[in-house]
């Protein structure tokens, strides 16, 4: 990869996707402290919470309280995940800077995840997008299960391309392709990029889970193919409550290390990321999947990011 001097934006999703699948309910104060630690580490786009029904995702029941306590300023933008207009109402009232709206690529998973068909999901996205943009918010359309479905198996890249075309036409500012269950490989990334670039030139973001240990290879491939942003979760925590066997996201600190060694800047402080991961790992009482905190940086004592 000849990427020296280039950069990619990291969207930190630990406070939302990282925590939503964990059994331990983290206190509001601890969530805010976690976000403060992420901001101190250089994170500037943070998916802070989701505005879904508390009975569906109990871990996100305190969305408004979290947003009321997060640090503002310094160029930090907070993203709220919404799945319907009620969620958008809450997100707008809570003062998010962006919304992330999920449209799922398969019928079965769409029903399980959002209680609506794919077509209904597209229509809902159009309504939410129009209202959010009129309020001055940036809108991301995330195509869930782009790489594979836990219920239906393989997903046709052409179907993903068609969904992307619909979302782009409906007002998306950014397209995110999600490997919700971590089945993709670099060849799949290339095929999906080809499909998407045939229908839109919107900024392209990727969301990888490391279920089968291919997430980092997929992320580096996505960057080489022009991705503008990558999702990751400090500590490698996370998953999807509605997708069987969906394990954690790729870890922010491990991803930032791989990118830095490849000459790609992220603006993140690796040591501070490890500290943030240690904080949330202690709250959850788990051994984190991330590896940088165990192995350490290389060369030892190197200042994070080499200030790339």
């Amino acid at each position: 990869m000849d990427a020296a001097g280039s950069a990619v934006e990291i969207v930190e999703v630990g406070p939302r996707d990282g925590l939503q699948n964990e059994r331990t309910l983290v206190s509001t104060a601890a969530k805010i402290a976690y976000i403060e630690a992420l901001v101190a580490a250089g994170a500037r786009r943070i998916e802070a919470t989701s505005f879904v029904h508390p009975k569906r995702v109990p871990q996100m029941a305190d969305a408004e309280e979290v947003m009321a306590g997060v640090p503002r300023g310094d160029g930090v933008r907070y993203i709220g995940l919404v799945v319907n207009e009620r969620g958008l109402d809450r997100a707008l009232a809570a003062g998010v800077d962006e919304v992330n709206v999920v449209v799922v690529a398969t019928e079965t998973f769409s029903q399980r995840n959002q209680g609506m068909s794919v077509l209904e999901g597209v229509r809902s996205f159009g309504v939410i997008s129009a209202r959010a943009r009129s309020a001055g918010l940036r809108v991301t359309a995330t195509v869930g299960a782009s790489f594979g479905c836990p219920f239906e198996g393989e997903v046709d890249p052409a179907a993903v391309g068609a969904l992307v075309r619909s979302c782009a036409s409906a007002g998306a500012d950014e397209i995110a392709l999600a490997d919700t269950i971590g089945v993709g490989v670099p060849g799949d990334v290339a095929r999906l990029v080809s499909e998407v670039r045939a229908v839109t030139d919107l900024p392209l973001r990727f969301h990888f889970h490391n279920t089968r240990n291919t997430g980092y290879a997929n992320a580096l491939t996505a960057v080489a193919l022009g991705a503008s942003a990558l999702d990751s979760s400090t500590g490698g925590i996370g998953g999807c409550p509605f997708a069987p066997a969906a394990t954690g996201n790729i870890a922010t600190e491990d991803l930032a290390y791989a990118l830095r060694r490849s000459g790609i800047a992220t603006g993140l402080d690796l040591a501070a990321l490890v500290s943030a991961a240690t904080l949330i790992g202690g709250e959850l009482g788990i051994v984190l999947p991330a590896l940088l905190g165990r192995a350490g940086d290389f060369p030892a004592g190197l200042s994070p990011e080499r200030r790339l």
Side-chain angles (χ1 to χ4, degrees):
M1 180 186 297
D2 183 13
S6 63
V8 67
E9 185 174 48
I10 301 298
V11 180
E12 173 60 55
V13 300
R16 197 279 299 177
D17 202 24
L19 294 180
Q20 73 172 9
N21 205 44
E22 297 293 335
R23 294 183 178 181
T24 300
L25 292 178
V26 176
S27 71
T28 301
K31 290 177 182 177
I32 293 170
Y34 178 33
I35 291 171
E36 289 172 340
L38 294 170
V39 171
R44 289 299 177 266
R45 279 183 85 191
I46 300 174
E47 198 161 277
T49 190
S50 64
F51 295 88
V52 297
H53 198 290
K55 289 184 179 179
R56 296 275 288 171
V57 186
Q59 294 86 343
M60 299 290 107
D62 59 351
E64 284 82 1
E65 290 81 3
V66 169
M67 287 303 303
V70 296
R72 300 283 186 167
D74 294 325
V76 180
R77 297 181 62 82
Y78 293 107
I79 305 168
L81 184 138
V82 302
V83 298
N84 53 38
E85 285 196 81
R86 170 58 182 148
L88 177 63
D89 291 338
R90 293 175 59 201
L92 292 173
V96 301
D97 301 296
E98 307 179 29
V99 294
N100 182 14
V101 187
V102 177
V103 179
V104 182
T106 65
E107 293 294 341
T108 306
F109 194 20
S110 185
Q111 290 288 352
R112 296 283 188 101
N113 192 62
Q114 291 167 256
M116 63 181 72
S117 69
V118 175
L119 180 58
E120 289 169 335
V122 171
R123 290 172 177 165
S124 176
F125 173 80
V127 173
I128 293 170
S129 175
R131 288 188 55 203
R133 295 185 77 189
S134 69
L137 272 61
R138 183 179 182 180
V139 179
T140 299
T142 292
V143 181
S146 289
F147 292 76
C149 174
F151 308 105
E152 297 183 20
E154 298 287 356
V155 174
D156 185 355
V160 175
L163 272 179
V164 168
R165 184 195 299 273
S166 296
C167 291
S169 298
D173 296 300
E174 175 184 62
I175 299 296
L177 301 180
D179 188 4
T180 309
I181 55 173
V183 295
V185 298
D188 298 321
V189 177
R191 282 185 284 274
L192 284 175
V193 169
S194 178
E195 289 286 346
V196 169
R197 284 292 168 246
V199 300
T200 183
D201 59 358
L202 285 174
L204 189 55
R205 169 176 154 194
F206 282 87
H207 180 99
F208 294 115
H209 287 247
N210 202 40
T211 313
R212 292 163 179 82
N213 210 32
T214 58
Y216 301 98
N218 292 340
L220 292 172
T221 300
V223 172
L225 293 172
S228 60
L230 298 169
D231 288 3
S232 59
S233 169
T234 304
I237 59 176
C240 177
F242 311 108
T247 56
N249 299 270
I250 54 175
T252 306
E253 59 269 46
D254 294 358
L255 175 63
Y257 173 85
L259 291 168
R260 189 198 70 200
R261 294 282 294 180
S262 301
I264 302 167
T266 64
L268 297 172
D269 181 316
L270 299 190
L273 287 174
V274 170
S275 294
T278 300
L279 184 157
I280 199 61
E283 290 291 334
L284 294 170
I286 62 172
V287 176
L288 296 169
L291 297 176
L292 188 73
R294 305 182 211 177
D297 201 355
F298 178 83
L302 180 68
S303 60
E305 274 292 282
R306 299 177 186 164
R307 291 304 158 201
L308 283 175

